[in-house]
Amino acid sequence: MSKYSLEVTQLTKYFGRRLIFSNLNFKFINNGIYGISGPNGSGKSTLVKILAGIIGTNKGRVQHSFNGNLVSEENIHNHIGFVSPYLILYEEFSAEENLLMFSKIRDVEYNKQRVDHLFEKFLLLKRKDDLVKTYSSGMKQRLKFIFALMHSPQLIILDEPTSNLDDEGKNSVYEIIREEGKKNIVLIASNEKNDLELCSEIIFLENYKQLN
């Protein structure tokens, strides 16, 4: 069972003079599935990038904790899994070669048994040795889930998780999200009704567009 928590305090982000969101506060201390929603351009991707430590903020604080201890910025990547449309895969390598490379970059052990389990869950086991350039957009999206989950993270951040997926792919993703939500914190940034129906709590970013 995960003992991870995520706390956001007075978070404010600008791009130039344009306000993205202001004074955003929330805290997730229990395992479960939570949502981030808002119109296109409302800042969903910006927020998840901040939470994942990819970009900074103008004001406020993001605090990750594991087993009661603060997680430093340089170690956040060891605890989170991140899925988004803008993540890059290496097209000239096979799916498994991509995952082996990412394991070396992260300096984490490559758990072949878990990876093969995920390949099977995401309907890619028979294609794991194929070059990624032969994959459809939906298959690439499912591979990104394997990349995000292979090191058993405690916080899973999903930006538009079902983009490019057919119904079979969506069902596989929803099954995994439900499983992970029982033992970890899962954040879904999306406007898709079926995605958000999985969430017990939703942050609506349009409520954070005014400076207080």
Side-chain angles (χ1 to χ4, degrees), residues 123-140:
L123 313 175
L124 291 174
L125 187 59
K126 294 180 179 179
R127 297 292 303 275
K128 70 175 186 176
D129 295 320
D130 293 354
L131 299 183
V132 171
K133 68 180 179 181
T134 68
Y135 275 28
S136 67
S137 58
M139 293 168 68
K140 290 175 183 176

Side-chain angles (χ1 to χ4, degrees), residues 16-89:
R17 295 185 177 181
R18 183 167 68 92
L19 176 67
I20 308 303
F21 43 74
S22 174
N23 297 315
L24 182 58
N25 296 278
F26 60 84
K27 185 175 183 179
F28 299 127
I29 59 175
N30 296 316
N31 303 327
I33 306 169
Y34 306 95
I36 299 168
S37 186
N40 291 339
S42 62
K44 296 186 298 296
S45 292
T46 298
L47 176 56
V48 297
K49 287 178 183 176
I50 292 171
L51 299 179
I54 297 172
I55 62 174
T57 185
N58 298 97
K59 175 188 171 185
R61 182 181 67 178
V62 177
Q63 187 170 292
H64 295 254
S65 299
F66 183 54
N67 290 332
N69 299 312
L70 289 178
V71 178
S72 63
E73 271 189 45
E74 58 267 26
N75 288 322
I76 288 175
H77 67 277
N78 291 327
H79 297 277
I80 68 171
F82 190 69
V83 175
S84 77
Y86 39 84
L87 285 179
I88 301 299
L89 299 170

Side-chain angles (χ1 to χ4, degrees), residues 65-119:
S65 299
F66 183 54
N67 290 332
N69 299 312
L70 289 178
V71 178
S72 63
E73 271 189 45
E74 58 267 26
N75 288 322
I76 288 175
H77 67 277
N78 291 327
H79 297 277
I80 68 171
F82 190 69
V83 175
S84 77
Y86 39 84
L87 285 179
I88 301 299
L89 299 170
Y90 295 96
E91 301 259 327
E92 300 302 321
F93 293 97
S94 73
E96 187 164 36
E97 286 171 339
N98 266 271
L99 299 179
L100 284 164
M101 187 180 306
F102 293 142
S103 292
K104 290 180 180 178
I105 292 171
R106 281 179 165 173
D107 193 26
V108 296
E109 180 183 355
Y110 186 78
N111 186 333
K112 183 173 175 55
Q113 184 177 1
R114 175 165 173 79
V115 170
D116 282 347
H117 167 73
L118 290 170
F119 270 124

